[in-house]
């Protein structure tokens, strides 16, 4: 499983469904496999960062560099599991975990004020100053409540 010359068996499909908590139907998994094979240009069985960047919507995303850290080298099962987070059927906990990983810039298991500021820099570019970003973060009651509850380190 995982290169363009192979086909998914029923066992493979069910295995992938189990791996992604049945968030995708069998037909959706077959469609995702076809897309995976298109992206896996060298039929290596995994998708490289360069191959992910060939998807225009991914490349244009201001957080693409952060996402690349999570997706570089994914095999098909992990590719589907990653995409399952974006499903309407995914749990809130799954979505929060992904967001946490995006914000955890240094991958130390914590989200600090500096991590949040870094993400905001990625999202806003040079359109606003660091001072304006700080004001925005400080004016967000939910975020401030989390920072106060957990100190300067939110943990997952």
């Amino acid at each position: 499983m995982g290169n363009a010359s192979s086909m998914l068996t029923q066992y493979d499909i069910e295995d992938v469904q189990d791996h992604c908590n049945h968030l995708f139907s069998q037909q959706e998994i077959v469609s995702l496999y076809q897309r995976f094979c298109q992206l896996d240009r060298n039929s290596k069985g995994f998708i490289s960062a360069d191959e992910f960047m060939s998807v225009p919507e991914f490349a244009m995303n201001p957080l693409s560099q952060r996402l690349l850290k999570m997706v570089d080298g994914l095999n098909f099962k992990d590719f589907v599991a990653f995409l399952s987070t974006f499903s309407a059927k995914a749990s809130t906990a799954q979505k929060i975990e992904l967001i946490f990983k995006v914000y955890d810039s240094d991958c130390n298991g914590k989200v600090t004020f500096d991590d949040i500021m870094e993400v905001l820099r990625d999202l806003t570019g040079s359109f606003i100053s660091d001072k304006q970003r700080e004001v925005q973060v400080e004016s967000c009651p939910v975020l401030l409540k989390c920072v106060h509850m957990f100190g300067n380190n939110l943990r997952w």
Side-chain angles (χ1 to χ4, degrees):
M1 175 175 47
N3 66 41
S5 64
S6 69
M7 296 296 296
L8 286 176
T9 65
Q10 185 63 33
Y11 173 81
D12 291 333
I13 293 169
E14 291 170 5
D15 186 39
V16 171
Q17 277 189 305
D18 289 343
H19 191 67
C20 70
N21 300 316
H22 295 269
L23 292 176
F24 293 115
S25 69
Q26 291 190 3
Q27 183 55 48
E28 288 170 322
I29 289 172
V30 170
S31 295
L32 287 170
Y33 184 71
Q34 291 167 347
R35 181 63 175 142
F36 178 87
C37 291
Q38 289 171 349
L39 291 171
D40 181 16
R41 294 185 297 246
N42 298 324
S43 299
K44 301 174 300 296
F46 63 89
I47 302 176
S48 69
D50 289 340
E51 291 166 331
F52 269 106
M53 291 303 281
S54 72
V55 178
E57 297 83 358
F58 190 87
M60 291 176 18
N61 187 317
L63 299 176
S64 63
Q65 293 305 312
R66 292 172 179 281
L67 293 169
L68 275 179
K69 291 177 187 176
M70 291 185 262
V71 299
D72 188 23
L74 290 184
N75 62 26
F76 178 64
K77 278 173 62 172
D78 293 333
F79 172 75
V80 174
F82 174 76
L83 292 178
S84 71
T85 307
F86 298 96
S87 167
K89 300 175 199 170
S91 71
T92 302
Q94 287 173 291
K95 292 174 189 254
I96 290 171
E97 182 177 1
L98 176 71
I99 292 167
F100 184 91
K101 288 176 181 175
V102 169
Y103 275 74
D104 182 13
S105 303
D106 51 11
C107 301
N108 67 352
K110 304 174 190 175
V111 174
T112 64
F113 182 82
D114 291 338
D115 290 329
I116 294 167
M117 291 298 291
E118 231 179 277
V119 170
L120 285 176
R121 270 187 219 99
D122 290 348
L123 291 171
T124 61
S126 60
F127 292 109
I128 66 173
S129 69
D130 278 347
K131 185 64 182 164
Q132 290 170 308
R133 286 184 198 97
E134 285 179 31
V135 168
Q136 291 302 312
V137 171
E138 291 167 357
S139 68
C140 180
V142 172
L143 185 57
L144 281 179
K145 183 177 180 181
C146 288
V147 170
H148 289 304
M149 282 174 55
F150 299 103
N152 193 32
N153 300 310
L154 303 178
R155 295 178 186 264
W156 185 256

